[in-house]
Amino acid sequence: MAESGDNRSLEQVRADIDAIDREIQQLISRRARCAQRVADIKLAEVQAAREAGEAETEVVYYRPEREAQVLKRIIDRNEGPLEGETVAHIFREIMSSCLALEKPLQVAFLGPEGTFTQAAAIKHFGHAALCVPQGTIDSVFAQVESGECNYGVVPVENSTEGMVSHTLDNFMDSGLKISGEVELAIAHHLLVASHTGKDDITRICAHQQALAQCRNWLDGHWPHVEREAVSSNGEAARMALEIPGVAAIAGDMAADLYGLEKLAENIEDYADNTTRFLVIGREEVPPSGRDKTSIIVSSRNKPGALFTLLDPFRKAGVSLTRIDTRPSRTEKWAYVFFIEFEGHLQDENIAAIVAELEEQSILLKPLGSYPRAVL
Ligand SMILES: O=C(O)C(=O)C[C@]1(C(=O)O)C=C[C@@H](O)C=C1
């Protein structure tokens, strides 16, 4: 092994690396064969259930709770010198390829290509999943509901690509479940085509939220250049490639996709700009041990209604991670609450809270329990 103080030559160390790569490759192949065996077992179980006359079920190849456990364990046991997250990303890709051997996944995302939602889909499912762009959040839901796609990825919080409230509204009418969450650090760059010089720029295009998130930087560096809000950062990048004088604000995905150059990197006014996305699917996810649950709940419009809804959480000592309000579409001046908290619907304390809320509310819809983001 390459230890400090070791005086082997470059050739010798490279010979070590070659031998290690061979072993890693053999182990990855062995792992992939295990995944194939897992797929056979899953199929046999579903066939046996069908023969026993149990309800018609689909084979569920993708297991988010298991993936979260595998990735968490990798981070926890990591001893360096690589960062735990770096190693986990490598395993993310290995699992993604293993799953594709079992069954290739189709994942709908709010497009177009090159958006942060696509980056979130790839971060969550790895590069082996086939990511299919959709024009609207509604059509991401529709693709998963119809079975055209296995899963969907939509923005939910502080997004540069879509309306959060629109995602929440979709959940009110949909039978889909949340099967995961993705957090993505958003880094914006000023991008131009290789034939566009700094002095050629006459217009800077981006999604309106990206323009807003870079306002101070733009005021400082490009105070006299026109800014134009377009439908997405991906679209802005496409324009930068095709229209002379246009520069785009967008992320790495868009820069790579359209082969654009970065005139300036990380131009967002606030570092730690994170967007959160939800993964939607048709199945409920079993507990991973580190889960979150989302519900929609609506109460009668009377004083103290919100307090009554939240009190069971306080009594049980369960942390809320998010609460949003949307106007009810059926009753004037009534509201529905979108509440997220730590724990799984199968946990006893969570089941008790939900039972209590059911008594207090006029509507309670569990949207699913899912593993907390690991990466
Ligand atoms: O454990 C399983 O159920 C598998 O299918 C194996 C595996 C993996 O490669 O580790 C692959 C896909 C699943 O989403 C989870 C894990």
Side-chain angles (χ1 to χ4, degrees):
M1 285 298 111
E3 307 276 338
S4 57
D6 114 26
N7 55 4
R8 287 166 309 154
S9 66
L10 176 67
E11 283 69 30
Q12 285 168 324
V13 180
R14 281 191 175 159
D16 271 0
I17 288 179
D18 287 341
I20 293 166
D21 285 350
R22 182 187 298 269
E23 268 181 64
I24 294 174
Q25 192 175 357
Q26 282 167 351
L27 289 172
I28 291 174
S29 300
R30 223 174 105 196
R31 193 187 190 287
R33 282 191 291 274
C34 285
Q36 286 177 316
R37 176 74 193 118
V38 168
D40 293 343
I41 295 169
K42 287 175 184 167
L43 184 61
E45 278 175 2
V46 167
Q47 275 166 350
R50 281 190 193 143
E51 277 159 26
E54 289 169 23
E56 190 79 5
T57 44
E58 284 181 71
V59 185
V60 184
Y61 291 100
Y62 170 60
R63 299 290 168 90
E65 77 290 1
R66 170 73 181 157
E67 295 204 353
Q69 288 164 344
V70 169
L71 294 175
K72 179 75 174 51
R73 214 175 298 143
I74 283 161
I75 292 175
D76 289 348
R77 71 175 171 227
N78 187 54
E79 290 179 355
L82 293 174
E83 294 281 336
E85 284 223 355
T86 308
V87 183
H89 276 115
I90 296 170
F91 275 86
R92 162 67 288 151
E93 289 301 328
I94 294 174
M95 265 199 291
S96 176
S97 302
C98 286
L99 176 59
L101 264 188
E102 293 186 38
K103 162 137 176 101
L105 281 192
Q106 300 229 15
V107 178
F109 69 94
L110 180 64
E113 301 217 31
T115 55
F116 287 112
T117 315
Q118 183 176 20
I122 292 172
K123 182 176 180 194
H124 191 77
F125 288 100
H127 282 82
L130 179 66
C131 292
V132 191
Q134 302 296 319
T136 61
I137 290 177
D138 294 10
S139 58
V140 175
F141 273 79
Q143 288 285 304
V144 184
E145 270 157 7
S146 69
E148 290 285 316
C149 286
N150 306 91
Y151 296 91
V153 179
V154 286
V156 73
E157 214 170 305
N158 174 34
S159 171
T160 53
E161 307 287 348
M163 285 288 291
V164 172
S165 52
H166 208 73
T167 294
L168 304 188
D169 289 346
N170 261 285
F171 277 118
M172 288 193 215
D173 304 322
S174 169
L176 293 180
K177 301 284 172 209
I178 302 175
S179 57
E181 61 170 356
V182 196
E183 283 170 7
L184 197 71
I186 302 292
H188 292 300
H189 315 302
L190 185 69
L191 305 173
V192 289
S194 56
H195 48 79
T196 307
K198 215 173 168 209
D199 299 332
D200 304 326
I201 297 175
T202 53
R203 202 164 25 134
I204 297 178
C205 297
H207 188 275
Q208 57 169 353
Q209 291 190 33
L211 288 174
Q213 289 171 8
C214 303
R215 186 180 298 123
N216 294 343
W217 187 88
L218 286 168
D219 288 348
H221 292 81
W222 298 89
H224 305 302
V225 169
E226 182 195 343
R227 298 172 203 175
E228 186 183 332
V230 296
S231 58
S232 73
N233 295 336
E235 170 63 9
R238 191 195 57 75
M239 290 168 72
L241 182 66
E242 290 174 7
I243 306 173
V246 168
I249 296 178
D252 288 315
M253 284 262 356
D256 291 348
L257 183 68
Y258 294 102
L260 299 177
E261 282 172 13
K262 293 178 189 169
L263 267 190
E265 289 188 57
N266 302 320
I267 61 171
E268 59 280 357
D269 295 334
Y270 301 99
D272 290 340
N273 180 14
T274 304
T275 294
R276 188 164 164 261
F277 302 82
L278 291 176
V279 182
I280 49 175
R282 293 185 294 274
E283 299 92 18
E284 288 176 7
V285 180
S288 73
R290 283 180 79 251
D291 301 289
K292 268 188 193 171
T293 297
S294 301
I295 59 171
I296 289 175
V297 59
S298 175
S299 69
R300 272 170 241 295
N301 190 17
K302 57 179 189 201
L306 179 58
F307 176 81
T308 315
L309 287 182
L310 299 184
D311 203 39
F313 293 99
R314 184 192 61 81
K315 282 189 295 190
V318 168
S319 302
L320 298 183
T321 49
R322 180 186 175 89
I323 174 159
D324 269 296
T325 315
R326 300 285 303 141
S328 157
R329 283 172 297 179
T330 48
E331 218 181 309
K332 207 175 171 195
W333 304 121
Y335 290 91
V336 293
F337 299 100
F338 180 89
I339 304 178
E340 261 178 33
F341 46 92
E342 285 179 0
H344 194 284
L345 286 163
Q346 289 180 21
D347 298 344
E348 250 175 55
N349 62 337
I350 301 297
I353 292 174
V354 171
E356 195 178 335
L357 286 181
E358 236 157 11
E359 281 176 21
Q360 311 281 358
S361 56
I362 41 179
L363 167 138
L364 187 140
K365 186 174 177 188
L367 301 181
S369 297
Y370 48 93
R372 275 153 61 186
V374 178
L375 290 178

